[in-house]
Amino acid sequence: MNAPFQPDGVTTLKLDSGLTLITQPAHSAPVVAFQVWIHAGGFDELDGERGLAHLHEHMLFKGTPTRGVGEIAAAVEAAGGFINAWTSHDQTCYHVVMPAHAWKTGLDVLSDAVCHSLFDGDELEREIEVVVEEIKRAEDSPGRVAWRTMAEKIFAGHPYALPVLGTIDSVRGMTSDRMKAFWGKHYVAANTTVVAAGDLDPAEVAREVAARFSDYGSAPAQAKPAAKPPKPAASATVKASAFSETRAMLAFPAPDLAHPDVPALDVFALVLGQGESARLPRVLRRELQLVNDVGASCYTPRYAGVFTLSATTDADRVEAAFDACLVELGKALAEGVTAEELAKARNLILAEATYKRETVQGLANSVGYFAVACGDAAAEQRYFDAVASVTRDDVLRVARKWLQPAHAQVVVLLGKEAEGRDDLPDEAAWLAKVQPALARAVATGAPKARDVVDGIERIALPSGDLLLVRRDGGDVPVMSLRVATLAGLRTETAANNGHGRMLAELLTRGTASRTGDQIAHAAEAMATDLSGFAGRNSIGLSLHSLTRNADAGLDLLFDCLTGATLPEAEIEVARKSQLQDLRHASDAPARTAFRAALSELYGDHPYALDTLGTEQSVQGLDRDQLLALLRGRLAPGADAAGRPRLIWAAAGDVDADRLAARIAEACPAVPDALDVPVRRDAGFPADKRVLRLSADKAQAHVVLAFPGTRLDHPDRFALAVLSTVLSGQGGRLFLQLRDKQSLAYTVTSMSSEGVDAGHFAFYIGTSPDKVDTALAGLYDQIDQLVQRPITAEELDRARQLLAGGHAIGLQSSGARAATLCFNELYGLPRSTWGTWLDSMLAVSADDVHQAAQRYLTVGRHVEAVLAPE
């Protein structure tokens, strides 16, 4: 068993101040990540401080003696970088990703925020309201409500049982004095680890970090008790909810991250419930069709963990689904895992570590997490070494040790459809199922022509299709491939709406030579990701593989592309899943508001449709329709006009000649397939359309949608700058509506182009009583953009942020393959890869002003508000 790819040069240095510095050079891309890990989170809060650690995450962006409100994020974005933070029970992490030439700017801003934040009282009052909105958003999420309920049981009496966000009452009770006291106690050098990864010189980084943190807190780190929660007695909790879905969870206490049993438990969780070929998805979702989603996980933070089985279904099937979960868990605990399952699980865990190292932020996060949680940067490699050497006996022994019925916690979150029913088990009956179910186990052709532009080989295939290859993997042995055709929503009608989404799901669910389970098993055994995709403009297949498994992965992809049979049984599974997704869409109110706005904006154009379809259209889809889409659109060859129907694109550690020869042999042209669909823009509204929708949610969701432009139109660059001026932590919407008025946790804008004309939209999630104020604020920002050009500073920040985001976003081979594929498929100029940056940097303030005047026409747009009655 091979260990994950491990770059050279990882060093850990204890500075004179007591601060720990970890550097990890990686020179495959001109990008650098810095992460400042504070060894304090929700665990460290005292009574009366619940949510205080998370509130620090927000307030450290609210100003220092040298940078005002909004200037911290603005400085990073102006240099083309991204800055953000997150809080857990054990840590608070502040991080930036920067273009390599601007890494000192990112470090300077990050260290300034950590070392010198002001905690201004007025800003605190405003930011508290932002966090309140974040808490309300969590209350509207069925997954987070179920998890919180389970954590209260499994971690009873321990800080892990409490929400990291705090409660509305506890957060509103915070003061500047409390903030400063917590900061002075925990934000000190001895309690801080800085991780730097990417295109850097470790010695230079060490000098700069020492200088930037020279006046940082020098107090000793707070002593922490070895606080492990007591194992709870078995119990069950049943809660009613207003959500459309029903969830069932079965949880057991698990060890902390540093415990030697964790690798075996992670393997057991993967065999049970991660991936299409895992036991629970295969049996409960595909064979028995009892769930919409099911899985298993092992969450192991610093002090104690939890092993969880979770199923999403409906009230009619929840009891049968829970019983089936217990049957599969009992079998695994009685018989253990097979040698094949063990090999697959180890391969997947180790491959994930390799894939994560494609980005510098992935590098920094992985080593930082292990270093802070375990106290040693080498803990990461020890974990992977243990995974590589774990045996079947280890997995069985450890699973039986930890998954004891005496400590089982059952949580059932009933959807609104269960209201008034008396045929479902009560809490005692749910719990009574566990002991008997687990008792036994506990007791016992070659290419025709090619050219090279900007390092991209363009290879005309014998079929008439086109292959693009960019061999740019550096030292990472990973390759990615995309094959796509123009289709998606653009080729759908109200009658067949959703057929692209369903076909994408079915592409890997059975061929003439393999069943869907065999395909899933073969892919996962190689740690290869093979999946179908479909969106507004295209449909296709993607492959992400370790280089050593690329040939075998290609065999699977070719079989799915040319030999998919779309079995009736699989169609019914996909239909049920898609219908469940549609029914649960009401649990995502922001999505509901957007869908309503875009449906009104696009009118009779296919972009008005939902990629999921409607209940009526999905119920009406049949095998003949899906086969017609497959054989008519996703078919190799050129159309009657000589245009390639399929675009293939590969990036990473890939051999262009071998790949071209393999495609030519496996994918000959298919006669009589459909022509490539032509462009048709929507007939956008000529007046203002106002929609008011009601939903029983804590927040209101506001969307303003305007006609937009096409992917190949030059205005897309100005609109991208315009959206960036508005959005992000340094953008106008964030500063004016969140920072200054505390109207929202989430407020943003977006420019969404398509092969046909797309849209430009604004969104804010706010309290129902603040809707009118939020709308007025959005319209005021629009009016300012139409009336006056943006400032030079705003222009520079936006251009640099977009340029930096472009480089950061293209770190993984999968992202590069997708970009190559879609640039070509959507008709962008051949020079786009090489000229994108120049085109973006050439945007002027006048260009942005003209774009705002051209596209943000109030009176020719849609205003949608979804709010409680």
Side-chain angles (χ1 to χ4, degrees):
M1 177 63 61
N2 293 322
F5 169 71
Q6 186 81 356
D8 296 328
V10 181
T11 59
T12 301
L13 181 65
K14 181 72 76 171
L15 302 184
D16 292 341
S17 63
L19 183 144
T20 300
L21 171 64
I22 301 172
T23 55
Q24 189 162 5
H27 302 291
S28 58
V31 182
V32 173
F34 281 96
Q35 298 185 351
V36 177
W37 294 72
I38 309 300
H39 303 206
F43 174 88
D44 302 273
E45 295 166 349
L46 304 176
D47 291 340
E49 294 182 343
R50 303 309 175 197
L52 187 55
H54 173 254
L55 191 54
H56 274 74
E57 171 203 321
H58 283 245
M59 287 301 297
L60 260 68
F61 293 96
K62 307 301 287 186
T64 71
T66 58
R67 291 183 171 94
V69 174
E71 293 180 8
I72 290 172
V76 171
E77 293 171 354
F82 291 85
I83 185 169
N84 216 321
W86 55 262
T87 308
S88 72
H89 282 105
D90 299 321
Q91 307 99 10
T92 309
C93 181
Y94 303 88
H95 51 94
V96 294
V97 185
M98 304 295 296
H101 71 271
W103 70 262
K104 290 183 181 179
T105 298
L107 176 60
D108 182 64
V109 173
L110 198 60
S111 61
D112 187 28
V114 170
C115 299
H116 306 129
S117 281
L118 294 175
F119 304 109
D120 175 76
D122 291 338
E123 287 301 325
L124 177 60
E125 287 184 12
R126 284 190 282 269
E127 199 62 23
I128 283 172
E129 293 307 308
V130 172
V131 174
V132 166
E133 293 300 324
E134 188 177 2
I135 294 170
K136 290 179 180 179
R137 186 179 68 169
E139 293 170 350
D140 284 340
S141 166
R144 296 184 71 166
V145 171
W147 178 267
R148 188 75 268 135
T149 305
M150 181 274 298
E152 290 170 357
K153 307 294 291 186
I154 208 82
F155 298 122
H158 189 271
Y160 285 179
L162 303 171
V164 172
L165 296 180
T167 66
I168 291 177
D169 288 341
S170 69
V171 171
R172 281 187 167 149
M174 298 305 173
T175 65
S176 289
D177 287 343
R178 280 186 173 179
M179 296 290 293
K180 292 174 182 177
F182 187 91
W183 179 85
K185 183 192 300 183
H186 298 290
Y187 282 66
V188 296
N191 203 43
T192 301
T193 296
V194 175
V195 181
D199 192 12
L200 53 81
D201 173 17
E204 185 179 12
V205 167
R207 289 192 297 271
E208 294 293 332
V209 169
R212 296 298 197 284
F213 287 86
S214 61
D215 58 349
Y216 192 32
S218 58
Q222 294 288 309
K224 298 188 181 186
K228 296 184 183 297
K231 289 185 178 180
S235 71
T237 303
V238 178
K239 294 179 67 171
S241 80
F243 300 122
S244 63
E245 66 183 35
T246 290
R247 287 177 179 249
M249 300 180 75
L250 175 62
F252 302 86
D256 60 272
L257 179 63
H259 197 285
D261 287 346
V262 167
L265 273 180
D266 285 346
V267 167
F268 190 68
L270 199 147
V271 169
L272 267 182
Q274 297 176 29
E276 284 291 317
S277 66
R279 295 189 184 190
L280 293 176
R282 175 170 51 82
V283 175
L284 273 74
R285 184 169 180 264
R286 309 212 68 80
E287 295 177 9
L288 301 179
Q289 300 182 27
L290 292 173
V291 299
N292 188 47
D293 192 22
V294 66
S297 64
C298 187
Y299 170 60
T300 50
R302 182 171 184 176
Y303 294 108
V306 58
F307 189 102
T308 307
L309 282 68
S310 178
T312 302
T313 182
D314 51 52
D316 290 335
R317 299 180 293 168
V318 63
E319 185 175 7
F322 187 78
D323 290 344
C325 276
L326 288 174
V327 169
E328 293 306 311
L329 178 59
K331 287 180 182 178
L333 289 172
E335 303 164 5
V337 303
T338 67
E340 197 172 19
E341 286 175 324
L342 174 61
K344 180 189 76 171
R346 291 190 305 193
N347 202 13
L348 285 169
I349 292 172
L350 299 179
E352 182 183 4
T354 301
Y355 292 142
K356 200 170 186 179
R357 295 177 180 278
E358 285 196 284
T359 67
V360 295
Q361 56 268 41
L363 281 169
N365 190 73
S366 187
V367 70
Y369 179 71
F370 277 91
V372 174
C374 300
D376 179 8
E380 179 189 22
Q381 192 57 44
R382 287 198 302 271
Y383 167 81
F384 292 124
D385 290 342
V387 169
S389 61
V390 74
T391 68
R392 294 171 62 197
D393 288 342
D394 293 333
V395 175
L396 183 57
R397 170 182 54 80
V398 169
R400 287 179 173 177
K401 172 182 173 182
W402 288 96
L403 275 57
Q404 294 282 337
H407 305 297
Q409 303 298 309
V410 179
V411 172
V412 180
L413 186 68
L414 294 172
K416 56 188 176 184
E417 62 188 355
E419 184 177 355
R421 292 182 56 163
D422 58 6
D423 59 331
L424 293 172
D426 60 14
E427 291 179 344
W430 283 109
L431 184 60
K433 294 172 177 289
V434 178
Q435 174 68 33
L438 304 187
R440 181 173 69 90
V442 173
T444 60
K448 291 193 304 184
R450 69 178 68 195
D451 59 33
V452 180
V453 176
D454 294 325
I456 302 165
E457 291 191 66
R458 296 172 56 88
I459 304 171
L461 298 168
S463 63
D465 294 322
L466 180 66
L467 168 64
L468 308 173
V469 178
R470 184 176 174 86
R471 194 182 190 287
D472 53 8
D475 295 326
V476 183
V478 172
M479 68 84 68
S480 294
L481 176 68
R482 285 249 178 174
V483 55
T485 189
L486 287 172
L489 275 183
R490 293 182 67 246
T491 59
E492 295 187 8
T493 65
N496 65 18
N497 186 201
H499 74 170
R501 160 71 179 264
M502 188 176 290
L503 178 60
E505 172 73 16
L506 292 167
L507 286 173
T508 59
R509 293 309 308 167
T511 68
S513 59
R514 295 178 175 92
T515 67
D517 288 345
Q518 288 171 334
I519 294 168
H521 180 82
E524 291 172 4
M526 299 183 292
T528 292
D529 179 30
L530 173 65
S531 58
F533 63 86
R536 295 195 306 162
N537 303 296
S538 59
I539 187 170
L541 281 161
S542 66
L543 177 73
H544 191 52
S545 173
L546 299 175
T547 305
R548 65 174 181 268
N549 296 327
D551 277 337
L554 285 171
D555 289 339
L556 292 177
L557 184 146
F558 295 150
D559 193 20
C560 293
L561 180 65
T562 63
T565 54
L566 315 188
E568 290 284 5
E570 294 288 350
I571 291 175
E572 292 311 310
V573 174
R575 190 193 316 277
K576 285 188 177 182
S577 176
Q578 200 158 324
L579 289 171
Q580 285 292 332
D581 287 344
L582 273 168
R583 290 163 188 155
H584 295 330
S586 63
D587 291 332
R591 183 184 190 278
T592 302
F594 263 104
R595 286 302 325 140
L598 297 183
S599 178
E600 186 71 22
L601 181 73
Y602 285 111
D604 63 355
H605 189 278
Y607 283 171
L609 303 173
D610 189 337
T611 54
L612 284 173
T614 65
E615 289 208 25
Q616 182 178 357
S617 66
V618 173
Q619 289 283 18
L621 294 176
D622 59 35
R623 185 168 181 267
D624 289 342
Q625 288 176 300
L626 295 166
L627 283 172
L629 174 61
L630 171 64
R631 295 169 181 170
R633 296 287 182 201
L634 205 57
D639 69 3
R643 295 168 295 193
R645 196 174 289 109
L646 297 185
I647 302 299
W648 300 77
D653 186 17
V654 59
D655 183 327
D657 291 332
R658 180 169 177 76
L659 178 58
R662 293 219 57 198
I663 296 173
E665 179 182 4
C667 303
V670 173
D672 303 323
L674 297 174
D675 287 343
V676 175
V678 298
R679 170 173 292 148
R680 178 176 75 87
D681 288 341
F684 292 116
D687 56 359
K688 178 180 178 180
R689 309 285 175 87
V690 178
L691 306 176
R692 292 294 184 269
L693 303 91
S694 64
D696 185 16
K697 303 294 181 183
Q699 277 193 308
H701 302 268
V702 178
V703 177
L704 304 181
F706 295 81
T709 192
R710 300 187 308 271
L711 282 161
D712 62 350
H713 196 287
D715 281 351
R716 72 187 179 106
F717 295 103
L719 287 176
V721 172
L722 175 61
S723 182
T724 308
V725 167
L726 287 165
S727 57
Q729 295 183 54
R732 291 188 179 187
L733 297 178
F734 194 98
L735 294 175
Q736 297 298 321
L737 304 187
R738 173 171 156 161
D739 274 358
K740 293 187 178 180
Q741 299 185 51
S742 299
L743 291 175
Y745 177 75
T746 303
V747 58
T748 191
S749 67
M750 64 210 68
S751 180
S752 179
E753 300 85 21
V755 173
D756 301 332
H759 61 270
F760 192 101
F762 297 77
Y763 166 78
I764 186 169
T766 189
S767 290
D769 59 344
K770 298 177 181 177
V771 167
D772 290 343
T773 305
L775 278 169
L778 290 175
Y779 283 121
D780 179 62
Q781 292 302 312
I782 292 169
D783 183 63
Q784 290 185 42
L785 288 166
V786 171
Q787 295 300 324
R788 293 180 295 279
I790 62 175
T791 67
E793 291 78 9
E794 287 178 314
L795 174 65
D796 187 60
R797 166 192 168 269
R799 292 188 306 193
Q800 292 300 324
L801 183 58
L802 287 163
H806 185 66
I808 292 167
L810 290 177
Q811 290 180 89
S812 72
S813 59
R816 296 192 297 274
T819 301
L820 288 172
C821 182
F822 294 140
N823 281 356
E824 185 71 32
L825 186 67
Y826 298 158
L828 275 63
R830 288 182 57 180
S831 60
T832 297
W833 182 277
T835 62
W836 184 95
L837 181 60
D838 291 339
S839 298
M840 187 59 69
L841 294 178
V843 173
S844 67
D846 285 341
D847 293 333
V848 177
H849 191 206
Q850 291 172 20
Q853 294 175 326
R854 188 176 300 124
Y855 292 95
L856 301 185
T857 304
V858 174
R860 294 192 59 213
H861 75 292
V862 176
E863 174 188 299
V865 178
L866 183 147
E869 290 284 359

